[in-house]
Amino acid sequence: MEALWQLPHREEKYIAIRLARRFKPFITPASLPLYERLIRDGAWWDFTDEITTHLVGSVLNHHPHQTWPTLDRWLHDPDLWIRRAALLAQNRLKSHTDPRKLFAYCLHLAHEDELFIRKAFGWALREYARTNPDAVRNFLNTHADTLSPLSIREASKHLNI
C-alpha cells in the first residue's frame, strides 16, 4: 500500500486505499499513524474522505476506546484535512455513532470559515440523521444561530425543518 501511495498519480493512491480496505486484519489502532500521514500527504477531500470513512471509521467502530483519543487530538490539529477526518470518522457508523461526540465536534468546528469543514459537518449530521433524525433536527434547531447556512443546508437535506 505504501509503495503504491508513493507513486506520482492520484489513481495509484486510490488503488492504495482500496487495497488497504481489503486487508481488514491491518485496519487496527496501530494503523492510525499511517492513516494520519496519508491524510496529511493527500491533502484533499477525495483522499481524506476515503481514508477516513473506510479505514479510520472502521478502526473507530471496532476499537472506540483506543481511537477516540486520536480523534480528539485531530479535532484540534492545524491541518484542516485532519480536522475534517476527526469529524467524518463516524460517517458510516449508523447506530454506533456517538451523538455526544458528533455534536461536540460540530460545535467545536462551527466557527470555521473553511468550506471543506462546513460541508463536512453538514455531511456528518446528514448521515447521522438517517439513523436518528430527531436528534439531528434538535441539534440544528438548538444551534441554528451558531452554524453556517451551508452546514445547516447540508445537514437538513432529508429532514423537515
Side-chain angles (χ1 to χ4, degrees):
M1 183 223 173
E2 289 193 72
L4 281 168
W5 188 266
Q6 297 306 316
L7 296 173
H9 299 101
R10 297 185 76 72
E11 294 78 9
E12 293 155 338
K13 291 173 179 24
Y14 296 143
I15 293 168
I17 296 168
R18 287 253 164 104
L19 185 64
R21 288 174 57 184
R22 292 201 173 270
F23 288 92
K24 300 205 185 307
F26 295 100
I27 303 175
T28 67
S31 295
L32 289 171
L34 169 64
Y35 302 152
E36 180 178 353
R37 184 167 48 80
L38 299 178
I39 292 166
R40 288 182 191 282
D41 185 55
W44 198 242
W45 69 268
D46 54 350
F47 295 137
T48 298
D49 295 0
E50 279 290 306
I51 294 164
T52 301
T53 59
H54 296 290
L55 299 171
V56 177
S58 183
V59 175
L60 177 60
N61 192 34
H62 294 97
H63 309 279
H65 298 296
Q66 293 170 278
T67 308
W68 279 119
T70 298
L71 296 179
D72 290 343
R73 179 177 53 79
W74 286 8
L75 184 65
H76 300 280
D77 199 277
D79 185 314
L80 82 97
W81 302 110
I82 297 296
R83 292 192 310 279
R84 181 178 170 101
L87 186 56
L88 294 180
Q90 294 191 76
N91 246 24
R92 297 185 187 270
L93 299 187
K94 299 182 184 343
S95 64
H96 294 123
T97 298
D98 180 336
R100 185 184 56 81
K101 285 277 199 182
L102 176 63
F103 297 148
Y105 279 27
C106 287
L107 288 175
H108 178 79
L109 297 173
H111 72 282
E112 295 217 17
D113 291 329
E114 176 57 55
L115 171 76
F116 289 104
I117 297 294
R118 288 180 173 196
K119 282 192 75 96
F121 83 71
W123 179 28
L125 291 170
R126 184 174 68 236
E127 285 298 312
Y128 185 53
R130 294 170 195 238
T131 300
N132 192 341
D134 291 336
V136 173
R137 192 177 293 110
N138 275 349
F139 178 80
L140 293 174
N141 288 332
T142 302
H143 300 287
D145 59 330
T146 306
L147 308 176
S148 76
L150 172 65
S151 298
I152 293 170
R153 188 172 55 251
E154 289 293 319
S156 63
K157 276 188 178 175
H158 306 296
L159 294 174
N160 296 324
I161 296 185

